[in-house]
Amino acid sequence: MTTPSNAGLPSPNNSVTPQVAGQQQTNSFQKEQKHTASSQMQPAVTVAPADHVLTLVSSSVVNQRGFANTCGVPLGAHMDLRPSEALRLPLIATRPPLRCNGCSAFLNVYCKANLPKGVWKCYMCGAINIQKDLMEAANVTAFPELSSEAVEYSVALPPSHPLLPTPGPGHLVFAIDTTLEPKDLQAVREALLTTLANPCLDPSTLISLITFDGCVAVHNLGSQRFSHVLPTGSTSTGAVQPGSGSSLLNLQSVVQHLLDRHCSATASRRAGGGGGGVAAASSALVSDVESCVQHLPKVLASFRTVQSEVPVRERARCLGSAVEAALRLIAAHASLDLTRHHNLYSSRVIVLAGGPATRGPGAVPLELLDQAVPEKGRASDNRAVAASLDVGVALGDMASKIGVAVDILTSISTGVNAKLLTAITHGSGGEFMPHPPPHHPPPHLAPSSSTPGMPPAQSPQSQPPTQSPPFPPQQQPHQRQGGEVNDSHQQEQAVAATTTSGSGSGGFIGPLLSRQLTASLTRRFGLEGRLDCYCSEGLRLVQWFGPLDTIQVELEVGGPAAAATTAAPTGTSAAAAAAAAVVAATAAAARPLSSSATVGPYRLSPVACGVVAVESGRCASLRLEVTRDLDDVPSLFLQVAFHFVNPLSRQRVVRVVTRRLAVVESRGEYLRTVNPTAAAALLGKRVVLEGKRTGAYRDSRKAEEARYAVAAQLGLVATRCGQEVLASRGVLGFGGRKNRQWPPELMPLAYALYHFQRGPLLGPPVPPPPGTFPAAAHSHLHALWDSDARLAGFNALLRAAWADAYRSM
């Protein structure tokens, strides 16, 4: 295999040089490749490659627009979301970033700069920028962005900044379904105790325990054993909006009353520190990990499976009410004003359920779930499904408003109303993770695993260093530095979701459940994420993929900081100018991230988008297209900026990476620089996004259309990139037949797409196991009985890191 991840990197020592017809263009390309330094007055420096930060599908592009856009291999890139500690990029904390006055791009290694004169030329738009106050008499070592493709800018935030989380320990609420089978309930007990005993968990973290079946109860974690049943919004299958005035009782006031009576910390805070309520040793609805560690095993051991004589899916289950009660419990303990936005960075709600919601808000009759009724329409069935989705959206919005993510784990993968659970989790920034059945172990638990569609010798673990692995070698250090928990989570999530469609019954696996719980508590590393993209002339951003959303309006905060300029007063010294720049950057960073931020060093472009949750293991992908023929340019440039707030260091961080795409003439040069695994992941994300829009996860006809689209993509790549081979000579020179041979450089792409269209996500329907669903499951001719598992697989592939997405295909 070639080296797609390293070929074409802008390094003067790179041995990969395009072999074009004209010697004059070759010399100009070599000059462009050697030009990596920043200044005409400073010596050239070597560019540090950043393929581990922004992975390109191809490090080159053909100069013909028609071929570049229609060759079948997408033009794009992947950015895996990782904490700063895992990447260890050059950090710039003493000054704000330098932005182009024309296109707002960041100063980067490919810009021509004259530091003594304070002038630099932007390679994105060609504008000349004069910023003497920040560049005068500066050494090239003071500008790490002029010697590295990827850098990070950071600026401290004031303590009262609205984007910073509320001070205090995190609050974890576990909502356990007591209708689980006994073996699943036992696995939950063991996994929960193992997770809370993990040393990575802060001992001061607050814990609350909720159980739900036909009702919702919050349990005491003190020495006394008792629980309190909370009111639910409705006992019928009709949906009641969470927190609406039509609820039977005000749930928020009930939860607050219980905390005042049975939580010493809450009562003491509301009483002004004078104490109150029952002593913490005997009563603690909210307790820290260190205090409840001796009582929690007894509380968990008291849980028993209820309604064991009823089938699992038909048991009474107030899942929507349990999620709302958990959110109300966190808000009441923190004394939050629910009319404003908050950021509870370390707080989380984890729901462990054994089936769909059958009672209370969000409940849908099982016969409607089995018939795969669409969400739109005026019939009563459609209105019931639409009302359930409205409840899920309302719960997700409520969790997002108080800054708490909700994770939902189910012991079965089908028949759980995945659309409702997805609306709750994705709206809050969490994950919906159905558990695989015991007879389908995920590959990471097997003795050995390899990349799908590749021989074992080419797996990432077994490949020699001198050869090109199917994934960038820069990712392997991240897996060691960033921790095994964060990296294994997305692989477990993506693989588990795609391997569970073979059965409607499963169960929790203790070790896997414990790892998923630990990953849920440790993978978040930032808040208020934003992604922005800048392209040079001839290149255009077409589409974003991943856990992204449009940027919302500015948060409801009081007293935003006034806009400040980065220019220092005239006649000041260089040190005073630098100090003024830092002050101005701090004032600019104090403004909330918003689409309205069009000025200042942290402004966003119109193509910027928001990141739903800044967590390890997720990925943002983008698709590009060429807008014109590129006969007059030696290379194109792509720059991606990732803005987020680090709540631990209380800083705003901007990660900027700039990549170059060499312009080549021949098809062979282009194919040698393609990363086939990254191309397969981008095509897979594009297919599942279109499949979600058309309903391919629930309609066999739409799934068949998606399979045809993948097959057509295979044919397009073979036709545009393959070579003609003589299949038959014919007779007397007549009747000769030629075929297109698949290019050998793209064999991993062919393997991935071949298995993808036959796998559990897009594969043809198979009959359900006996007894999985009632006879009503076959009333709809084209309904897919495993639609929930397919939807979970779609979401996992779309949000997972690109390497994990490739494995799950």
Side-chain angles (χ1 to χ4, degrees):
M1 185 185 299
T2 59
T3 57
S5 58
N6 292 331
L9 286 178
S11 172
N13 299 326
N14 189 1
S15 61
V16 180
T17 303
Q19 303 296 327
V20 296
Q23 183 65 27
Q24 183 177 359
Q25 186 169 358
T26 302
N27 294 336
S28 64
F29 177 79
Q30 291 176 350
K31 289 181 180 179
E32 180 70 24
Q33 189 178 25
K34 291 180 180 179
H35 176 69
T36 59
S38 48
S39 174
Q40 299 172 351
M41 309 296 295
Q42 299 293 339
V45 294
T46 303
V47 175
D51 200 63
H52 62 297
V53 183
L54 184 69
T55 304
L56 296 176
V57 171
S58 174
S59 57
S60 68
V61 61
V62 180
N63 59 359
Q64 299 176 3
R65 173 191 175 189
F67 181 86
N69 294 333
T70 62
C71 66
V73 180
L75 183 62
H78 304 277
M79 172 176 274
D80 289 342
L81 306 185
R82 301 173 183 172
S84 302
E85 297 77 11
L87 296 176
R88 302 183 183 276
L89 299 177
L91 182 63
I92 303 174
T94 58
R95 57 175 174 82
L98 301 181
R99 308 290 297 272
C100 175
N101 297 326
C103 64
S104 298
F106 292 78
L107 176 67
N108 57 81
V109 67
Y110 300 107
C111 294
K112 292 182 179 180
N114 193 321
L115 297 181
K117 295 184 178 180
V119 180
W120 61 280
K121 179 181 179 181
C122 176
Y123 256 43
M124 296 290 176
C125 63
I128 304 297
N129 301 273
I130 302 177
Q131 298 173 337
K132 296 182 179 180
D133 53 335
L134 297 177
M135 301 178 64
E136 186 177 1
N139 192 358
V140 68
T141 58
F143 292 84
E145 63 265 45
L146 297 178
S147 59
S148 176
E149 284 190 334
V151 295
E152 280 191 352
Y153 300 91
S154 67
V155 58
L157 296 176
S160 59
H161 195 275
L163 294 181
L164 291 177
T166 303
H171 191 175
L172 305 179
V173 180
F174 296 92
I176 301 176
D177 182 7
T178 52
T179 65
L180 289 166
E181 292 293 329
K183 60 182 181 62
D184 295 333
L185 204 54
Q186 179 62 26
V188 169
R189 295 191 194 100
E190 297 174 357
L192 194 56
L193 293 176
T194 303
T195 302
L196 296 181
N198 196 308
C200 67
L201 189 64
D202 188 1
S204 62
T205 302
L206 302 177
I207 303 295
S208 296
L209 196 59
I210 288 178
T211 58
F212 63 95
D213 40 61
C215 58
V216 180
V218 55
H219 293 262
N220 175 49
L221 300 179
S223 58
Q224 298 181 359
R225 203 146 332 139
F226 60 87
S227 60
H228 299 274
V229 178
L230 302 178
T232 58
S234 176
T235 58
S236 64
T237 58
V240 175
Q241 292 290 346
S244 62
S246 60
S247 300
L248 183 62
L249 291 175
N250 190 344
L251 183 58
Q252 184 73 23
S253 61
V254 173
V255 172
Q256 188 66 64
H257 176 71
L258 290 176
L259 290 178
D260 292 342
R261 290 192 57 187
H262 304 285
C263 183
S264 59
T266 305
S268 177
R269 182 176 65 251
R270 292 176 67 88
V278 187
S282 60
S283 177
L285 299 182
V286 180
S287 177
D288 58 89
V289 177
E290 190 175 6
S291 301
C292 70
V293 64
Q294 56 180 348
H295 306 296
L296 187 60
K298 298 179 181 179
V299 177
L300 294 176
S302 64
F303 296 164
R304 296 291 185 271
T305 301
V306 299
Q307 310 174 44
S308 56
E309 68 282 354
V310 181
V312 178
R313 293 183 70 238
E314 300 178 5
R315 296 173 184 174
R317 195 175 290 108
C318 297
L319 193 149
S321 299
V323 173
E324 183 182 2
L327 296 175
R328 299 279 183 185
L329 184 62
I330 294 177
H333 185 267
S335 299
L336 300 182
D337 181 9
L338 296 182
T339 61
R340 303 186 62 180
H341 288 268
H342 304 273
N343 284 323
L344 300 183
Y345 169 74
S346 302
S347 300
R348 209 171 189 94
V349 175
I350 298 180
V351 182
L352 300 109
T358 56
R359 297 291 187 276
V364 177
L366 296 181
E367 56 269 15
L368 296 184
L369 294 180
D370 298 336
Q371 293 177 16
V373 176
E375 296 88 352
K376 297 180 180 180
R378 296 185 177 181
S380 58
D381 296 345
N382 303 99
R383 288 198 298 268
V385 176
S388 173
L389 291 180
D390 291 342
V391 171
V393 172
L395 288 173
D397 292 343
M398 178 182 176
S400 177
K401 194 169 187 178
I402 65 177
V404 176
V406 179
D407 291 334
I408 299 180
L409 298 90
T410 58
S411 60
I412 59 176
S413 59
T414 58
V416 293
N417 197 357
K419 294 185 289 293
L420 169 67
L421 305 185
T422 301
I424 298 174
T425 55
H426 289 186
S428 65
E431 290 290 346
F432 165 53
M433 293 173 281
H435 226 255
H439 56 276
H440 282 285
H444 71 278
L445 295 178
S448 62
S449 63
S450 61
T451 304
M454 291 186 179
Q458 294 183 355
S459 63
Q461 293 82 2
S462 61
Q463 203 154 15
T466 58
Q467 299 180 4
S468 171
F471 310 108
Q474 292 87 346
Q475 285 192 352
Q476 298 173 2
H478 160 64
Q479 294 176 358
R480 294 189 296 268
Q481 297 171 4
E484 299 178 357
V485 172
N486 293 337
D487 294 328
S488 63
H489 159 70
Q490 288 294 341
Q491 180 180 359
E492 294 168 359
Q493 176 192 352
V495 176
T498 57
T499 56
T500 55
S501 59
S503 173
S505 61
F508 284 127
I509 303 175
L512 177 58
L513 180 60
S514 176
R515 275 184 291 219
Q516 286 179 327
L517 292 178
T518 304
S520 297
L521 304 180
T522 56
R523 64 175 180 258
R524 197 173 188 182
F525 66 90
L527 297 169
E528 296 295 328
R530 301 287 186 268
L531 274 173
D532 208 348
C533 179
Y534 305 91
C535 303
S536 61
E537 184 184 1
L539 200 62
R540 185 173 71 93
L541 175 66
V542 177
Q543 194 175 19
W544 289 102
F545 301 96
L548 310 174
D549 198 359
T550 56
I551 298 180
Q552 304 297 327
V553 297
E554 193 166 303
L555 302 182
E556 299 175 11
V557 295
T565 177
T566 58
T570 56
T572 57
S573 62
V582 172
V583 173
T586 305
R591 294 193 297 270
L593 291 172
S594 165
S595 58
S596 61
T598 57
V599 295
Y602 300 98
R603 59 186 180 272
L604 301 176
S605 71
V607 300
C609 63
V611 182
V612 176
V614 184
E615 298 184 347
S616 298
R618 296 185 177 181
C619 175
S621 305
L622 53 98
R623 185 167 64 90
L624 308 168
E625 74 172 11
V626 178
T627 59
R628 64 179 180 88
D629 292 338
L630 307 173
D631 298 328
D632 57 340
V633 292
S635 56
L636 299 176
F637 299 93
L638 171 67
Q639 187 177 86
V640 178
F642 177 34
H643 305 246
F644 66 95
V645 174
N646 188 339
L648 299 181
S649 60
R650 309 183 75 83
Q651 293 179 337
R652 169 179 281 181
V653 180
V654 182
R655 183 177 303 162
V656 181
V657 54
T658 308
R659 303 300 310 275
R660 190 188 65 170
L661 289 80
V663 177
V664 298
E665 288 186 348
S666 67
R667 179 181 55 192
E669 297 174 74
Y670 167 71
L671 293 179
R672 283 193 294 270
T673 61
V674 173
N675 188 338
T677 54
L682 186 59
L683 283 174
K685 291 174 181 288
R686 183 179 178 183
V687 169
V688 298
L689 183 62
E690 181 66 18
K692 285 187 62 177
R693 187 185 66 83
T694 60
Y697 59 90
R698 65 168 181 260
D699 194 329
S700 60
R701 295 169 298 180
K702 299 299 182 181
E704 187 176 9
E705 293 177 2
R707 292 195 298 272
Y708 287 154
V710 175
Q713 194 75 20
L714 281 167
L716 179 62
V717 175
T719 302
R720 300 286 288 170
C721 300
Q723 296 181 352
E724 285 188 353
V725 294
L726 186 63
S728 174
R729 294 182 179 273
V731 178
L732 299 178
F734 297 97
R737 185 165 50 89
K738 295 182 179 180
N739 291 336
R740 287 282 183 175
Q741 187 179 20
W742 185 271
E745 296 89 351
L746 304 181
M747 288 307 296
L749 174 61
Y751 294 152
L753 295 183
Y754 177 83
H755 291 289
F756 184 44
Q757 63 180 341
R758 290 164 175 80
L761 294 184
L762 299 179
V766 295
T772 302
F773 293 104
H778 305 283
S779 60
H780 194 281
L781 180 61
H782 302 286
L784 293 171
W785 66 271
D786 56 348
S787 61
D788 285 347
R790 293 182 184 237
L791 178 58
F794 279 18
N795 292 328
L797 192 150
L798 191 61
R799 300 161 69 90
W802 71 267
D804 295 331
Y806 176 82
R807 295 187 187 100
S808 64
M809 292 175 62

